[in-house]
């Protein structure tokens, strides 16, 4: 099983790396393609602008020729109607010619003409400006004079005809300059496109060599493993068929278990809106609710206090992870209780329940804490006296422990060593018929002696505690005690804690836990003991829960008759700056929680 999980983890790591490389390679191709497209689009825009500029510049040559034609026609015609028509056309052509010249220099967003920034072309326009202005002035005079039929325009026409060839030459040079600039842009784009194509081909080649080939090899390997997994799945399917035979029995046991939980645990379930869907009978009794009233928002069922309701509502809404809180509530009969609430999210889509609320009634513990806080300075001497009593009990217990160890060594290991000595002295090589039996007896005694020594050293200081830490030591403790006592003693490391503490902290945690388990076995007559380890960033929590006869904490506190085990546990937890919580009721079992700070 571990090997399969390890293989799955290795495959996941490999595929994760390949996926990252694959994404990076395709990202590189995508970047080159996007960059290429941006260049192409930018060039297309430039080409569009350039073609528009070249078109307008070429049209200027045509407009200049058209102006010459129209002013010559204007001179030749004498009919007023024709002269008016030619004058109108001349005016339009002249306006368009002037506007086009301005647009070529200053740009026009409506015509997609950019502002001219090329120094060479600007210089050519500057050289042409005197001719342009001369022609512009002459044509303008012609248009003004043409409005009266008796004005002579020969001089202006002569001026236009003399300057028009020079204007055409300059415009031709400007058009060719525009064309050369556009051609250079095309050459640059062609070079960049070729370069990007080569880069893309190189990236594709590297992908084929370092991605597709390893992936194909890995896929073949995975397919082979899937075939093997399919065979294993078939075998397990056969096992499942056998398991279905006991389905009815399991369902019946589950019903009985549900009945037991319903009458012993405080829990409720909610839907996605935070409304209660179910509540155990014990929880209903604690909250003074009837089965008919189990509906509506869970916070309204738990308390009648508005502030508490708001806090509970926020707590239930944020159900992304398991959350544990200690909250004071007020029941419908105005009874105040303290609950330790654990909110567990349920992520299965098929379930209507979206959260499970598990509670523990800690009212008694909170009352005890409040009572302890109210202790006045007048009880100082009583506490000193109690401390002296505790110290004397600790000394007595230490002496008892020493006596027990001496008795174990004397009665167990000592007697076995004596028997070993007598057996060795009784070996007679001259008597073959008893020699073999003596050797076998010595072997058995040696094994018993080794086991006795191991048990004695384990009771003193378990090697797992020194070598591997508190979690491993407690797991070994439960296994050995379960084997020796025949009780159901279970261990669970829910948060997979493997951290280490100072040796004094670890031995105290071990002794407190050992004492709690031994008390559950010896005095509570428990058949089931559950030892659980959990931790956060700052606290290690060890809980020991049993189904024994339990006891009344109030009665013990009032009588001031705590047993030696509880005294030792409280003194040890103070020594490591931890906290000890004991919840017990007669006939309801006991739960002991040990909290130790993580440095």
């Amino acid at each position: 099983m571990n090997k399969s999980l390890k293989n799955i983890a290795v495959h996941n790591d490999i595929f994760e790396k390949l996926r990252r490389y694959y994404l990076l390679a395709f990202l590189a191709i995508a970047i080159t393609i996007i960059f290429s497209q941006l260049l192409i689009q930018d060039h297309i825009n430039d080409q569009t602008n350039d073609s528009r500029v070249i078109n307008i510049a070429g049209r200027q040559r045509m407009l200049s020729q058209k102006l010459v034609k129209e002013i010559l026609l204007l001179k030749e015609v004498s009919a007023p109607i024709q002269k008016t028509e030619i004058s109108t056309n001349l005016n339009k052509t002249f306006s368009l010619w002037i506007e086009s010249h301005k647009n070529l220099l200053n740009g026009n967003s409506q015509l997609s003409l950019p502002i001219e920034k090329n120094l060479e072309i600007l210089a050519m326009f500057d050289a042409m400006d005197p001719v342009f202005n001369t022609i512009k002035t002459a044509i303008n005079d012609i248009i003004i004079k043409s409005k009266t039929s008796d004005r002579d325009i020969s001089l202006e026409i002569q001026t236009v005809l003399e300057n028009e060839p020079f204007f055409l030459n300059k415009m031709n040079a400007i058009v060719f300059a525009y064309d050369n600039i556009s051609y250079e842009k095309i050459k640059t784009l062609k070079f960049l496109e070729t370069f990007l194509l080569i880069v893309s081909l190189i990236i594709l080649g590297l992908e084929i060599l370092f991605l597709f080939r390893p992936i194909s090899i890995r896929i073949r390997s995975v397919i082979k493993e899937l075939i093997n997994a399919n065979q294993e799945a078939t075998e397990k399917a056969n096992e499942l068929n056998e398991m279905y035979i006991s389905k009815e029995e399991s369902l019946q046991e589950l019903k009985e278990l549900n009945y037991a939980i319903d009458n012993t645990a405080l829990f409720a379930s909610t839907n996605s809106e935070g409304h209660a869907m179910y509540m155990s009978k014990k929880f209903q009794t604690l909250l003074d609710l009837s089965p008919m009233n189990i509906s509506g928002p869970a916070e309204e069922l738990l308390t009648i206090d508005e502030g508490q309701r708001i806090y509970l509502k926020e707590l239930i809404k944020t159900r992304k992870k398991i959350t544990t809180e200690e909250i004071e509530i007020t029941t419908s009969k105005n009874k105040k209780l303290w609950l330790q609430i654990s909110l567990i999210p349920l992520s299965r889509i098929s379930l209507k329940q979206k959260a499970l609320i598990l509670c523990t009634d800690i009212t008694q513990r909170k009352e005890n804490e409040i009572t302890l806080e109210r202790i006045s300075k007048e009880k100082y001497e009583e506490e000193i006296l109690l401390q002296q009593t505790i110290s004397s009990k600790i000394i007595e217990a230490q002496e008892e422990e020493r006596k027990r160890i001496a008795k174990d060594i004397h009665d167990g290991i000592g007697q076995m060593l004596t028997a070993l000595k007598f057996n060795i002295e009784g070996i007679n090589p001259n008597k073959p018929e008893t020699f073999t039996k003596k050797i076998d007896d010595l072997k058995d005694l040696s094994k018993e002696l080794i086991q006795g020594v191991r048990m004695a050293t384990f009771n003193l200081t378990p090697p797992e505690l020194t070598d591997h830490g508190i979690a491993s030591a407690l797991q070994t403790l439960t296994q050995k005690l379960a084997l020796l006592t025949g009780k159901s003693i279970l261990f669970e490391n829910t948060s997979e804690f493997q951290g280490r503490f100072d040796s004094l902290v670890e031995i105290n945690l071990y002794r407190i836990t050992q004492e709690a388990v031994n008390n559950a076995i010896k005095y509570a007559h428990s058949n089931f003991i559950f030892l659980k380890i959990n931790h956060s960033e700052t606290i290690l929590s060890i809980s020991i829960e049993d189904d024994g006869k339990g006891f009344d904490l109030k009665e013990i506190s009032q009588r001031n008759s705590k047993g030696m085990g509880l005294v030792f546990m409280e003194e040890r937890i103070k020594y490591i700056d931890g906290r000890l919580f004991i919840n017990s009721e007669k006939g309801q079992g006991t739960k002991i929680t040990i909290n130790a700070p993580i440095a």
Side-chain angles (χ1 to χ4, degrees):
M1 182 67 179
N2 292 332
K3 186 176 179 182
S4 300
L5 293 174
K6 191 180 290 184
N7 289 336
I8 291 172
V10 171
H11 293 328
N12 289 339
D13 291 340
I14 292 173
F15 280 113
E16 183 63 24
K17 289 180 181 178
L18 290 175
R19 185 180 69 83
R20 288 198 296 267
Y21 294 150
Y22 192 77
L23 289 175
L24 287 174
F26 271 95
L27 182 61
I29 293 177
I31 289 173
T32 56
I33 292 173
I34 292 170
F35 185 64
S36 175
Q37 285 299 314
L38 289 174
L39 286 176
I40 291 172
Q41 292 299 322
D42 184 63
H43 179 72
I44 289 172
N45 291 334
D46 285 346
Q47 284 292 99
T48 302
N49 295 336
D50 290 346
S51 63
R52 178 71 66 177
V53 169
I54 293 170
N55 183 33
I56 298 297
R59 189 177 66 180
Q60 281 295 85
R61 296 180 301 179
M62 179 272 293
L63 290 174
S64 66
Q65 293 173 349
K66 187 178 179 183
L67 286 171
V68 172
K69 179 181 177 182
E70 288 175 346
I71 60 177
L72 291 175
L73 285 174
L74 186 64
K75 181 181 179 182
E76 296 297 328
V77 250
S78 57
I81 296 175
Q82 292 180 344
K83 194 170 185 177
T84 301
E85 182 180 355
I86 293 171
S87 179
T88 302
N89 291 335
L90 176 61
N91 197 13
K92 290 180 180 178
T93 304
F94 180 63
S95 298
L96 181 60
W97 181 67
I98 293 173
E99 185 67 25
S100 298
H101 186 80
K102 290 181 181 178
N103 290 338
L104 287 173
L105 286 173
N106 302 323
N108 189 317
S109 58
Q110 295 180 351
L111 298 176
S112 299
L113 289 176
I115 298 173
E116 186 57 57
K117 296 179 181 179
N118 188 280
L119 297 178
E120 180 185 354
I121 293 177
L122 289 173
M124 296 173 73
F125 270 104
D126 289 340
M128 188 179 66
D129 274 347
V131 177
F132 174 79
N133 290 329
T134 302
I135 296 174
K136 175 183 174 183
T137 302
I139 295 176
N140 191 47
D141 292 341
I142 292 171
I143 293 172
I144 293 171
K145 290 181 179 182
S146 65
K147 293 179 180 179
T148 57
S149 58
D150 56 347
R151 300 287 296 274
D152 184 20
I153 59 174
S154 299
L155 182 60
E156 286 80 2
I157 291 174
Q158 184 64 30
T159 302
V160 171
L161 293 176
E162 289 176 356
N163 287 278
E164 196 263 345
F166 182 77
F167 178 81
L168 287 178
N169 291 333
K170 289 293 184 181
M171 283 307 302
N172 283 334
I174 290 172
V175 170
F176 287 131
Y178 280 133
D179 187 62
N180 289 333
I181 291 170
S182 178
Y183 179 70
E184 290 299 325
K185 289 181 180 178
I186 292 174
K187 285 175 63 178
T188 303
L189 180 66
K190 184 176 180 181
F191 170 77
L192 288 174
E193 282 292 313
T194 304
F195 175 75
L196 292 174
L197 176 61
I198 293 171
V199 171
S200 298
L201 292 175
I202 291 172
I203 292 173
L204 285 173
L206 292 175
E207 282 188 9
I208 292 171
L209 184 61
F210 295 106
L211 285 178
F212 294 123
R213 184 173 176 274
I215 287 175
S216 63
I217 295 172
R218 178 57 58 186
I219 288 174
R220 284 200 296 270
S221 174
V222 171
I223 290 174
K224 184 177 178 181
E225 293 178 3
L226 286 175
I227 293 172
N228 295 333
N230 186 37
Q231 293 176 353
E232 293 179 3
T234 303
E235 295 174 359
K236 290 187 176 182
N238 295 331
E239 294 177 3
L240 285 174
N241 289 331
E242 296 177 0
M243 291 174 63
Y244 282 130
I245 298 174
S246 59
K247 177 181 176 181
E248 293 299 326
E249 296 178 1
S250 299
L251 288 175
Q252 184 61 34
E253 291 176 0
L254 183 60
K255 289 179 181 178
E256 294 173 358
L257 180 61
N258 287 338
Y259 176 81
I261 293 175
D262 195 39
N263 287 275
T264 58
L266 305 175
F267 74 94
S269 60
T270 65
N271 59 16
S272 59
E273 296 178 355
H275 288 206
M277 297 185 67
Y278 181 76
M279 183 177 289
S280 65
K281 293 180 181 178
K282 187 175 181 180
F283 208 179
Q284 296 175 27
T285 303
L286 182 67
L287 299 176
D288 300 318
L289 297 174
S290 64
M292 302 299 295
N293 297 331
I294 309 304
S295 62
E299 66 273 8
E300 295 182 5
L301 299 177
L302 291 173
T303 180
I304 60 173
D305 185 88
E306 189 62 29
Q308 296 170 359
R309 285 181 175 179
I310 293 172
Y311 182 77
L312 283 169
K313 185 176 181 180
E314 290 297 322
L315 183 65
I316 294 171
K317 285 174 65 178
T318 57
R319 51 175 183 271
K320 296 181 180 179
K321 60 180 181 179
I322 297 176
T323 306
T324 302
E325 296 280 350
E326 292 184 357
I327 299 174
E328 184 182 21
I329 65 168
T330 306
T331 66
S332 58
K333 293 186 178 180
N334 218 21
K335 179 181 178 183
K336 295 190 179 297
L337 299 172
W338 275 93
L339 296 179
Q340 186 181 48
I341 297 179
S342 295
L343 186 67
I344 303 173
L346 303 176
S347 57
R348 285 185 57 187
I349 298 175
S350 60
L351 292 177
K352 293 182 180 179
Q353 295 90 347
K354 295 301 178 183
L356 190 65
I357 302 174
L358 298 180
C359 298
T360 303
D361 186 1
I362 58 172
T363 306
Q364 185 64 52
R365 192 191 80 193
K366 285 294 182 179
E367 290 177 355
N368 292 340
E369 291 176 358
I370 294 171
T371 302
L372 288 174
E373 290 175 0
R374 293 176 181 171
I375 293 177
S376 63
K377 295 180 181 179
E378 297 175 359
K379 294 187 178 181
Y380 179 74
E381 293 182 359
E382 294 180 8
E383 292 184 1
I384 293 295
L385 180 61
L386 177 61
Q387 188 66 35
Q388 291 175 350
T389 305
I390 290 172
S391 298
S392 64
K393 287 184 178 180
I394 291 174
I395 293 171
E396 292 175 8
Q398 289 175 344
E399 291 300 323
E400 289 295 327
E401 182 68 12
R402 291 190 182 99
K403 291 178 183 179
R404 185 188 65 77
I405 294 170
K407 184 176 182 301
D408 288 344
I409 294 174
H410 179 271
D411 295 345
I413 298 173
Q415 289 182 3
M416 284 187 283
L417 286 172
T418 302
L420 183 65
K421 175 178 177 296
F422 288 147
N423 273 275
I424 292 173
E425 291 174 350
I427 294 175
N428 189 352
N430 297 325
K431 294 181 179 181
E433 65 277 4
T434 62
F435 182 78
T436 303
K437 185 177 182 303
K438 290 287 185 180
I439 294 297
D440 291 338
D441 291 342
L442 285 174
K443 290 179 180 178
D444 294 338
L445 279 172
S446 298
K447 290 180 180 179
E448 293 177 6
L449 182 60
I450 291 170
Q451 185 176 3
V453 171
R454 285 179 177 173
M455 183 57 68
T457 56
F458 177 79
N459 288 330
L460 289 173
T461 301
E464 285 82 0
L465 186 63
T466 304
D467 297 338
H468 304 293
I470 186 66
S472 178
L474 292 181
Q475 184 176 10
T476 304
L477 174 67
T478 55
Q479 292 173 351
K480 290 195 175 183
L481 287 177
L483 185 63
L484 291 172
T485 63
K487 305 283 187 181
S488 295
I489 305 176
L490 302 180
F491 173 82
E492 183 179 3
N493 189 349
T494 56
S495 60
E496 299 183 358
F497 177 77
Q498 296 298 333
R500 297 302 303 268
F501 293 90
D502 182 78
S503 59
L504 290 177
V505 175
E506 288 186 338
I507 192 63
N508 277 289
L509 286 174
Y510 180 82
R511 293 304 182 197
I512 295 169
T513 308
Q514 186 183 38
E515 184 68 30
V517 175
N518 286 335
N519 287 343
I521 295 172
K522 293 179 182 179
Y523 306 118
H525 304 295
S526 305
N527 293 315
F528 176 82
I529 302 171
F530 182 43
L531 195 155
K532 180 174 71 173
I533 291 180
N534 193 9
H535 82 287
S536 64
E537 293 183 358
T538 57
I539 293 177
L540 171 68
S541 179
I542 303 171
S543 65
I544 305 97
E545 191 169 359
D546 64 67
D547 62 347
K549 61 183 183 180
F551 57 91
D552 191 341
L553 280 171
K554 276 188 177 180
E555 183 180 342
I556 291 177
S557 299
Q558 290 171 356
R559 291 186 310 177
N560 197 18
S561 59
K562 291 184 180 178
M564 293 298 295
L566 289 177
V567 173
F568 289 158
M569 290 164 66
E570 289 175 352
E571 288 304 307
R572 286 184 182 274
I573 201 68
K574 289 178 183 177
Y575 182 74
I576 62 174
D577 198 22
R579 297 187 69 184
L580 182 70
F581 302 101
I582 302 174
N583 292 318
S584 182
E585 293 182 18
K586 287 186 177 181
Q588 298 295 325
T590 302
K591 181 178 180 180
I592 297 176
T593 303
I594 305 162
N595 289 344
I598 298 176

